[in-house]
Each structure stands twice: as C-alpha cells, then as structure tokens.
C-alpha cells in the first residue's frame, strides 16, 4: 500500500534520451523503482521539441536547455545495468535501418524481414503478414471473435508445423487477451 497517490512501485521512462535527468530523478524519492528505456544511438536531449511540447516555456519565459543538463539515459549509462537493443520493427523496409545497423549497432540488430521487398525469396510462412478481416463479430464483452478465431487457427497451425517454436501473442486489451487464451484452452 502507498501513502500517496503520487507513489508507484515502478515509474517507466520511455525515450529517456529526451528527458532531462533533473526532471526525472526526483521521482525516485517517492517511488520504488525507475525503469529507463532509451537508445544512445538516437537523438540526444535537445530543445528542438520544446515549442508546445512537454518542456515548453510559460508565457514570458525563455526556455534554454543548458549543456550541463543531461538526459536520464546519459546519466544512467554506465552506472546502471543495461542491455543492447536487439530488435527493430518500425521500418517498412529493412533498407531504412541497414546503415544504422551496420555502423551504429555493429550488425547486432535483428530487423523484421521485408514484407513487400524481396518477399519472393522468402518462404511463405516467414516475416510479417497483414491479415484483414471483414465484418468482425464482436462479443458482448467487446472481444473481436473473428480475430480470436483467426489468431488461434494460426497459432495451432504454427505449433503443428514447428513444435519446438514459441509463439507470442500481443493484444491491445485484457478482453481480447482473455478471449484468445480461452479459445486456445478450448481447442488445445
């Protein structure tokens, strides 16, 4: 139990290269744990995003990010345990990240295979695939049952063909997660 509404078991700071340490580390006084996500190969702390953003100056104030103010990521690097970024999935094509992967990440980054470019050279069952469903059947609890059936069909197929592989399913809400888990439990 917490004494304050402003106290949490963990505070997560994503894109920590964009947060001044002086604005984030005081959170440790009221919270038990600070989890920092960031990539030192991405844009450093800058005032580029201050106009109208989270660090915007108030009326009549001048906002100046001094060089002595370091990002949370910069301060934590080397002082706290960290790990190497392993996967990149945001680019529509591998070519967009290939140069960074080679020169910044020493080729250690795993990139999702291109879906459109070079697809003819990949086995049909590898890479990302967009499956569009028309006329979704929505349960009384809000789960998309058409999607549930399609996902579970795919999981069963992959497990049958590749019994030693692990399948991960990510959903956007608990209702859909529960519906998928229940359907798997029913069918397996």
């Amino acid at each position: 139990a917490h004494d304050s509404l402003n106290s949490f078991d963990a505070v997560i700071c994503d894109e920590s290269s964009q947060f001044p340490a002086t604005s984030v580390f005081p959170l440790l006084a009221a919270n038990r744990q600070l989890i920092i996500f960031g990539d030192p190969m991405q844009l450093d702390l800058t005032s580029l995003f201050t106009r109208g953003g989270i660090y915007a100056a108030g009326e009549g104030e001048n906002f100046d990010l001094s060089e002595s103010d370091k990002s949370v990521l910069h301060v934590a690097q080397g002082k706290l345990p960290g790990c190497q970024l392993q996967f990149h999935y945001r680019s529509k094509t591998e070519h967009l990240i290939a140069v960074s992967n080679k020169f910044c990440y020493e080729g250690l980054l795993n990139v999702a295979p291109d879906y459109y470019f070079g697809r003819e050279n990949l086995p049909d069952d590898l890479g990302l695939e967009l499956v569009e469903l028309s006329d979704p059947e929505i349960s009384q609890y809000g789960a998309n049952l058409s999607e549930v059936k399609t996902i579970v069909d795919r999981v069963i197929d992959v497990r049958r063909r590749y019994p030693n592989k692990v399948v991960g399913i990510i959903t956007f809400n608990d209702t859909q997660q529960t519906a998928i888990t229940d359907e798997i439990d029913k069918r397996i």
Side-chain angles (χ1 to χ4, degrees):
H2 298 285
D3 297 334
S4 166
L5 291 176
N6 295 320
S7 179
F8 303 96
D9 290 319
V11 173
I12 299 172
C13 181
D14 192 13
E15 300 293 346
S16 62
S17 66
Q18 289 300 304
F19 286 92
T22 54
S23 69
V24 175
F25 285 136
L27 293 172
L28 287 174
N31 300 288
R32 298 175 187 211
Q33 183 178 20
L34 177 62
I35 300 169
I36 299 170
F37 289 94
D39 183 354
M41 299 300 173
Q42 292 182 353
L43 189 62
D44 286 331
L45 185 60
T46 175
S47 59
L48 179 65
F49 303 109
T50 60
R51 183 170 297 173
I54 192 168
Y55 304 120
E59 191 173 325
E61 294 179 279
N62 290 324
F63 184 89
D64 183 28
L65 198 57
S66 74
E67 289 196 17
S68 64
D69 199 2
K70 303 291 185 193
S71 73
V72 173
L73 182 62
H74 179 84
V75 172
Q77 234 178 337
K79 296 175 183 70
L80 298 175
C83 62
Q84 167 71 41
L85 180 66
Q86 294 180 349
F87 294 93
H88 186 280
Y89 58 89
R90 292 181 180 163
S91 296
K92 290 185 178 184
T93 173
E94 290 177 70
H95 304 308
L96 294 175
I97 194 67
V99 172
S100 292
N101 192 17
K102 180 177 180 179
F103 293 105
C104 297
Y105 300 101
E106 300 174 3
L108 298 173
L109 223 102
N110 295 298
V111 182
D114 287 340
Y115 181 75
Y116 296 107
F117 301 102
R119 182 84 180 149
E120 66 277 358
N121 298 324
L122 292 174
D124 289 337
D125 57 352
L126 292 180
L128 300 176
E129 179 182 0
L130 173 63
V131 177
E132 295 185 61
L133 301 175
S134 59
D135 300 323
E137 178 189 349
I138 307 299
S139 76
Q140 67 182 9
Y141 304 106
N144 183 333
L145 300 177
S146 305
E147 186 178 271
V148 168
K149 180 185 180 317
T150 301
I151 289 170
V152 174
D153 287 346
R154 182 64 58 96
V155 168
I156 290 170
D157 180 57
V158 168
R159 295 289 296 147
R160 180 185 51 77
R161 290 186 295 138
Y162 307 101
N164 295 326
K165 296 292 183 186
V166 175
V167 177
I169 302 169
I170 300 171
T171 64
F172 288 113
N173 59 59
D174 291 336
T175 302
Q176 194 71 0
Q177 176 189 355
T178 300
I180 291 169
T181 304
D182 290 350
E183 184 69 16
I184 289 172
D185 289 345
K186 276 194 268 184
R187 293 174 55 185
I188 293 185

